[in-house]
Amino acid sequence: MAGHNDPNYVTENPFEGRGRASQRNDAIDAGIGFVVPFGVFTIMFIIAMVIEVASR
């Protein structure tokens, strides 16, 4: 790194690591981020309705 006088010399970012940035589509991750919590709260609602109906 030191000793290179060329301003266009590209060095590897030591903080980036070996994994590099993900090249996946962000829409897939956003969809999963919406569907999973929605499913969890739906299941909680269904369980609460079953308990309410069973307690009558």
Side-chain angles (χ1 to χ4, degrees), residues 8 10 23:
N8 295 324
V10 178
Q23 298 298 319

Side-chain angles (χ1 to χ4, degrees), residues 18-38:
R18 294 179 156 221
R20 306 276 182 225
S22 175
Q23 298 298 319
R24 292 182 5 169
N25 189 346
D26 288 339
I28 296 170
D29 293 333
I32 292 172
F34 174 78
V35 169
V36 170
F38 183 80

